[in-house]
Amino acid sequence: CNDYLKNISDISVVTDDTIITTDYGIAHYQGYLPEEPNADPTLPAGNTFTFTADSNHAYDIYNELNGIVYIYHNRENALPLRVHPTMNYGNVSTIQNTIADYSKTEACPPTLGGGGEEMKSGMYAANESADSTKVAIESLEDGGDTDELDFDVVMSMPSESLETRDMLLDESPNLSDTVMISAIEKEEVLPNAMLRDVLVENPQAAKSEQVQAALDERSYPMSATMRHEIDAGRDSLSEKEVSEAALTFFRQEENSLFNQLQHYYATDTTISFGVDSLKQLYVDNGSLEKQYRLAMVYYKMGDTTSCDSVIDNLQYTFDLSTEQEAERQDYDTYLNLMQQYGTLPDSVSSAQLMQLMQSDNGRPATYARNILLWLDQTTYNEPLLLPDTSLKMAVVKMDDFIVGSDNEKESWLTIKPNPAANYFTVSWELPYDSKSATLIFTDMNGLFVGKTILYSRENEKVIKTENWHPGTYLISLLVDGQLLETRN
């Protein structure tokens, strides 16, 4: 619900880190498009973007990190405002909710207001919706058992190529990144045409940086045409993706109401037992972050015993990673310093605060730095990361991949394996000026077996032969009604 005006880049998602993990960036789903038509104007993202007539404007969304699926309102209804981000860089998919009309007051209603019980009720309802959606996703993804499906893919043999492809297609379009990446890495089992068939049926493959990176690492790279077919999935959502967007929406709603309730308990002097309600709110939430907030509430109340107990118990109630345990220990150090010295430390505690700041373990480092800044014992310049405006947006056309000429072309068709068992892959590359093409399959007596219409100048297709009788067959390539080539 932001209104962007006269910006070089409206939304910039950038980093100076060299290693990018799956949790880098902003939320993958920006907005929610229900499976059933829904005109609720609060479901799409609700931003308006800088007018393209502004000569300084370079990007609506500039994204260097993990993919973004941006769902926007009916753009025709919103005119002259721009609700559809079209000037984007990086992995950004945009999908329109054609029946959700945009108006600022309806799309972006006020978030504050209502009493504590009303906010709690809304928060619990959002939590319940999120939990039920999460269960639905778990049953959808990989047929409900990612470990088993991934194991079957990893253990598949070259003789099981067709069975492995069909197994993955049976669970499509709801494959996980884990299974898709395992499939990509099984080059000896799934040739490019089979893998393409699977990934085309899973539009989330086009939006996953991890899947795209795995494709880039194939020893035998896919053709540009095949990659383009897979990337077409950026314009659509699978059932799993719709459910994942719903989960994000409900979690955001739950967190928004939690933050409103937290603010209400902490600042509204008209309610009784506000601090007790705030503590109970953190206890009920149960997350690691909220337990740190609970400890800070106890510290501000002067209840150092409860504060220390909360921090100490975290190592037993949570399975902390090495980084999280380092942060917990720094919280313990920081709060002990505050209990002893407050915000006016001596030289010894100042050195400890400096050490906390330099350790850079989460919020304790920030708290320590803020005190040292206030005491003029350190300096800090907030890093400002900006998009690279020298990069240009481009729409890649299929013709961009066509180079060379038809001179000295030895064959227009490639068939492998040949001889075949239960399938073969036929690859074709048509003349540059061709307008239509068809593959005709016949037996040696001229009996028609089947045909395939070719819609691209060059590509591959898997042909299943499990119902064909043993023998020799002919594949004829007809281009613009004329026989161009026949292969056995």
Side-chain angles (χ1 to χ4, degrees), residues 16 26 49 91 101 107 119 233 260 304 328 380 393 431 441 459:
D16 56 0
I26 62 175
F49 295 89
N91 192 344
D101 292 336
M119 286 186 276
Q260 292 178 52
T304 57
R328 188 198 68 81
Y380 177 72
M393 296 159 291
F441 307 100
N459 212 330

Side-chain angles (χ1 to χ4, degrees), residues 15 25 47 55 133 164 185 275 333 346 388 406:
T15 184
N47 299 303
S55 60
T133 302
T164 303
E185 293 173 349
V275 173
T333 300
D346 59 16
D388 184 354
D406 296 332

Side-chain angles (χ1 to χ4, degrees), residues 362-376:
R363 291 194 176 187
T366 302
Y367 297 152
R369 184 184 68 215
N370 288 343
I371 293 175
L372 293 171
L373 284 170
W374 181 58
L375 296 172
D376 290 327

Side-chain angles (χ1 to χ4, degrees), residues 8 130 180 201 289 449:
I8 294 175
M180 288 190 287
E201 292 301 316
E289 179 198 354
V449 177

